[in-house]
Amino acid sequence: MKTKMKTKVILLLILILSIEILSACGQEGKRAGKEDRKTESREITVATNSESGGLDPSGMIAITYLAYSVTSLDELLTFDSNGAIEYRAATSYEVNDDATKWTFHLRKDAKWSDGSAVTAKDFMNTITRSLDPACGNGYSNYLFPIQNAEAIYNGEKEIGELGVKALDDYTLEFTLSTPCVYFLDLLRLPVYTPSCARYADAVGSGWDTNPKTSLSNGPFYLSEYVSGQYFTVKKNPYYWNSEKVVLDKITYRFFDDQQSMATAYATGEVDIATSLPANIMEEYEGKEDLQVTDNIATRYIYPNLEVEALKDVRVRKAINLAINREELCEIVGKDTESTVNFIAKYMKNKETGNSYVDEAERPFTENVEEARKLLVEAGYPDGEGFPTLQYKYPSLEQDADTAQVIQQQLKKNLNIDIELQAQELQVNYAERRAGDFELCRMNWTADFADPYTYLSMLLSNSTYNCSGIRDEKYDAIVAASDVEQDTTKRSRLIHEAEQLAVGEQFYIIPLYTTKSCNLIRPTIHNITQIQASGALEYRYATME
Amino acid sequence: MGKYIVKRIGIGFITIFMLLTITFFLTRWMPGNPFQSENISENVLQALEKEYGLDKPLLTQYGTYLCHFLQGNLGYSYKKPGVAVNEVIGRTFPQTMLLGSLAVMTALLCGMGIGFLHAKTSQRWVSRACLLLECIGMGIPNFMIALVLLLIFGVQWRLLPTVGLNSPAHFILPVLSLAIYPMATIARYTYRNVSVELKREYVTFARMKGVKTPVILYRHVLRNVFPQILNYLGPTIAFLLTGSFVVESIYTIPGLGREFVNAISNRDYTMIMGLTVFMGVLVIGIQIIIDIINAWLDPRVRLSFEEK
C-alpha cells in the first residue's frame, strides 16, 4: 500500500509540473507575440556573426564592436558616399601647413546617452588606454603617427608626453611626428572614438557590456547585452541629430553560422542578414530582399614566418603559384572574386577614381610548373620531406570550403599536406593575434578609405602583423608614402610596397575579394553603405 | 534502504574521483597540451600558473586541482583569455537544463501515453498509428527531425520562432526535436511491457473481481511497468541535460552541448577538462538519483542488496 502511494505521489508531481510549464509556455508565448506586434513598426533585428571581442574601443576589436559602433558611436568626422567630409562629434578642424598639427573643435551640443556632455577628455580616454599593450587592441598602431605614441606604447616614454592635448573641453589638438596625408581617414578607427571617461576605466572591467556604464554619443545606446545571444541598442534621446533617427530599437543577434542567419531571415526572425552564403543569391534571385554589395575586403592566408619551412621565400612563392584561384572561387561561390593583390580589389584611388589594383601590375601569375621547380630548389622535390602544415580557420561555411579546396590543390599540385583545423571565430582571432599558427586564414575589410589600411598591417611595428614579418625595406617605402604629399608619387610608392610584400617576398597568400550577399526586408529603407569598408549602416534607416 | 543509499552515494563519489584523476592526467600527458605551449599570451600564462601552480610538482598540482574542484572552481579557458569554465557553465547550463527537462517530461508523458494507448486499443487504425509514430520517432535521427520541424513550422507556415530561447514559444520546436526519439522509445517500452503485464494472472484476477480497466491499468499495471521505464530514463535524462550540439546549432541556442563541441574543435584543453568533469558529475548524480528512486519503488532492488 505504501509503495502504491509513493508511485501516485511521484506521478502526480510530474503531471502537475508539466501541465503548469506547458500552460505557462502557451500564455507567455501569446503575450510576447502581442508585444512584438505592437512595437514591430520601429524595431529591426539584425543578424550578426558570433560574439567576438568586446565593445570597448580600446579593447579587442572584432565583429561585435564594429556592429555596435556603426550605430552607436560618433567619430570626430567621416566621409559620405561622395567623399565629402561629414562632421559628427566635431564641427570643424584646422591643420597647419606641414600637416603635423590638427585641431578639432568638438560639437558643443553633443551628449552622452545619460545626458552629460561629450568632452575632449573622453577622446583622450580611449587614446591613452589604447596605448597600453596589455589592452590587446589591434588598432593601437594607427595612433603611432601621433608624436611619442609609439614610444609610449613600447614603454619608453610617459603618457604625459603624448602629442594629443585637450586644450579645453571642446578642443582637441593632435601633434604628429611626421605629416600624415590620410590622418582624417584614420579618425573613424576605434582608437580615435570617445569612451566616457567617468565609466570607461579599464579593458576587461566589464563597463563596455553593462548598459548602465556603456554610454554612447551616437544615435543609439546599448540597452541590453546578453552574452552569446544578442544585444540591443535603443534610440538615444540626447543625440544631437536625433530628429533624423527614425528607428527606436535595433537588436543584433549572434549567429554561429551563415546558413542559420538565412533561415532566421526566412522565418521572419531577423530583418537584415548580411554576408550570407552564395546559394542565397540563387534562392532569392529577382526578389527585392536580395541586395548584393561589394566588400572592400581581401581574404588571404598568413604563412607564419617563424615556421622553418615557411621562412624560405621560395616555399611561400611556390604555395602562392600553386593555388588556382579561379577554380577556388568557382567552387566556393559566386560571392567571391579571385585576387592576387593585397589591397582590396574595389578600393578606389580618390584622385583618379580607378581602383588601385587596376593601376598596377599583377604582383604574380599562378604557374604550377614554376611552383614545383621552386619547391625542388627549396629542397622538397615533389613535396618530399615537407612538413604537414596546420591551417587554422574560423568554422564558417565559406572558410571551410576554401580550406578544403586549397588542401586539395596543394596536394595535387605540390604533393604537400595541409591539416585543417576549424575554430570558433573568437578563438581564431585570439590565436592569430598570439602568432599561434602555421597557416592562418585572414580577412581584412578596409577600415578607412586609403590603401594604408592594408599596407600598415605588414609593417614591423603593426599590432596586426602576427606572422613575424620584419622587413626594413618595406617599412621604409610605406613610411615614405605616408609623408608624400604628391598624390601621383604616393600612388607609385604604394604600388611599390605592395609589389614587394606580395610579388617578391610573398608574405601573404591572397585568395579572393568578397561580395556581401545581404537579405533586407523590402520595407526597410535608407540603409547606407560605409564608403571605406562597404559595410551597411543603419543609423538613419526608415521603415514603411 | 539507508544502507543502500549510503553505498550508492559512496560508489558515486569514487567514480567522480576516478573521473577527476583520469581527466587531470590525460590533459597533462596530451601531446601539445597547453602547459607545454610556447605560443601563449602572457596574461593567460600567468592566470594558468596561478591557477594550477605550474611551477610545483605534478602531485601538488593534482592536489590543488582537487581542492579547487571541491570549492566548485573548474578552472579557466586557455583559448579565450579571462573566461572561466564556471562562467561558461553558468551562462549555458540553465538553458540546456530547461530545454532538457522539458524534453524529458514531454518524452515521458507522451511516450507512456502512446504506449498505453497502443497496448490497450482494440481499434486497428489506432494501433497502426501508434506503431507508425514509434517507428518514425525511433528511426529518424534528431537532426533530421529538427530540420524538418524548422522547415515546416518555421519557414513554411511561420507558426513558431526558430532562433534562440527568448520566449516560451521558442522552446516548442527544440523540445520536440529532442523529445521525439526518447518519446518513441518510451512508447515502445511501455507498449511491450504493458502487453506482457495485461496477460498476467493478476490482471485476469482483478478483472474477474470486477475492477474497472482504468483502475487496473493505473493501480496495478503502471506500478510494474514504471521501474523498467525508469531504468531507460536515467541515461536519457543525462543525455538530454548535457545538451545536444545538433539541436542547439540548428536553433541557435547558446547551450552546453555547443560549447563542449566548440571547446573540442578549439582544442581548448582546460575548457574540455572542466566541462567533462561537470558533465561527468551531472551524469553520475542523475544515475544515483534514479537508482535511489528505483530502490524506493521496487523492493526487489533494495532487498537484493540487503540480502548480501
Side-chain angles (χ1 to χ4, degrees), chain A residues 280-292 519 522:
Chain A
I280 296 300
M281 285 195 200
E282 286 148 35
E283 206 180 316
Y284 283 84
E285 205 178 348
K287 288 191 182 159
E288 251 184 289
D289 308 59
L290 180 70
Q291 294 193 20
V292 180
L519 291 175

Side-chain angles (χ1 to χ4, degrees), chain A residues 229 253 266 269 424 431, chain B residues 79 95 158 162-163 166 266:
Chain A
Q229 295 190 51
R253 191 165 265 293
E269 278 167 271
E424 240 181 305
E431 298 213 330
Chain B
K79 294 284 166 116
Q95 326 241 14
R158 292 205 178 190
T162 60
V163 179
N166 294 0
N266 293 337

